[in-house]
Amino acid sequence: MTTITIQAFVEEIIAIHAQGTATEHSYRAPLQSLLQAFTIDGHVQNEPKQIRGVGAVDFSVRNSNGLPIAHIEAKDISVDLREKKGRNAEQRARYLKAYSNLAYTNGVEWDFYRDGKLIDTVRIADHLMGIQPLEDEFLRLENRLRDFLSQLPERISSPEFLAKRMSAKALIIKDALSHSLDADKESKD
């Protein structure tokens, strides 16, 4: 794999953006192609099934055995990835609890999270007046994608690890149950 893959991705993003009518979903096809190009022995799924109380990330990457190895949330090109309020912030909090290997992208900027912590940010273009590629960053994104998409599925290696993961899942279930009960209460009122 060479940086030409990143170059081709940026060119597609620029072409889609130049049409002036693009939405978040307009960029999904080139994003899926880019992710698949860096996925070794696996499959990238657009719009995987929703997880109750968590939601549905835009892309799920599974290995050849069907085990999840990465999750990607795609935003519109104009969205600030680190917005700390509103629905995007609530969604991010849920996803960070639920997914151990997660990336957020708006096509030009990429945030990579591992176990709920931001580990790297890569910007491959500026989005000020149009989109200006930052070619010096293409190789960095290529390397980060290679690492991100080659993670092994989580293995239960100790009782402590199991307890930590189960605790995180219990919080998600608690939140989902709380939302469901609140919704039931509101519908009865």
Side-chain angles (χ1 to χ4, degrees):
M1 191 80 40
T2 64
T3 55
I4 192 66
T5 302
I6 305 294
Q7 177 71 41
F9 171 73
V10 171
E11 288 171 2
E12 280 193 70
I13 295 296
I14 290 170
I16 292 167
H17 186 264
Q19 295 171 11
T21 58
T23 67
E24 173 183 315
H25 291 267
S26 304
Y27 303 99
R28 294 267 182 102
L31 182 55
Q32 184 169 5
S33 295
L34 177 69
L35 294 169
Q36 192 65 59
F38 285 93
T39 300
I40 300 169
D41 195 28
H43 178 72
V44 178
Q45 182 179 3
N46 183 8
E47 294 288 334
K49 186 175 180 179
Q50 183 168 350
I51 297 173
R52 188 172 198 157
V54 175
V57 291
D58 295 319
F59 294 95
S60 175
V61 182
R62 295 179 176 272
N63 68 12
S64 59
N65 294 325
L67 298 173
I69 57 174
H71 299 87
I72 300 90
E73 178 63 18
K75 296 295 181 191
D76 195 12
I77 203 161
S78 62
V79 171
D80 178 0
L81 294 183
R82 279 167 234 90
E83 184 179 342
K84 300 288 187 202
K85 55 188 169 190
R87 290 183 348 172
N88 285 341
E90 293 167 7
Q91 179 192 60
R92 180 186 313 276
R94 289 191 314 270
Y95 288 177
L96 288 173
K97 287 180 189 175
Y99 304 116
S100 62
N101 193 31
L102 175 69
Y104 263 74
T105 184
N106 60 13
V108 297
E109 190 168 15
W110 298 70
D111 284 349
F112 295 92
Y113 295 87
R114 192 124 338 114
D115 297 319
K117 293 180 178 73
L118 180 66
I119 60 167
D120 200 6
T121 295
V122 181
R123 179 185 296 271
I124 57 170
D126 282 329
H127 178 237
L128 302 170
M129 296 175 64
I131 299 173
Q132 299 82 31
L134 300 172
E135 294 180 11
D136 292 346
E137 292 294 303
F138 289 5
L139 182 58
R140 195 163 151 241
L141 178 60
E142 180 179 322
N143 290 333
R144 178 50 69 194
L145 283 172
R146 230 185 236 114
D147 175 63
F148 175 69
L149 296 168
S150 66
Q151 295 298 305
L152 296 174
E154 288 184 294
R155 297 195 188 279
I156 305 304
S157 56
S158 70
E160 293 81 15
F161 179 80
L162 176 60
K164 181 181 171 188
R165 295 307 293 166
M166 293 302 294
S167 172
K169 302 297 182 199
L171 288 173
I172 293 167
I173 293 168
K174 180 188 112 207
D175 289 344
L177 182 58
S178 176
H179 288 296
S180 180
L181 291 172
D182 289 345
D184 284 348
K185 185 178 175 182
E186 288 176 13
S187 69
K188 290 179 182 177
D189 291 341

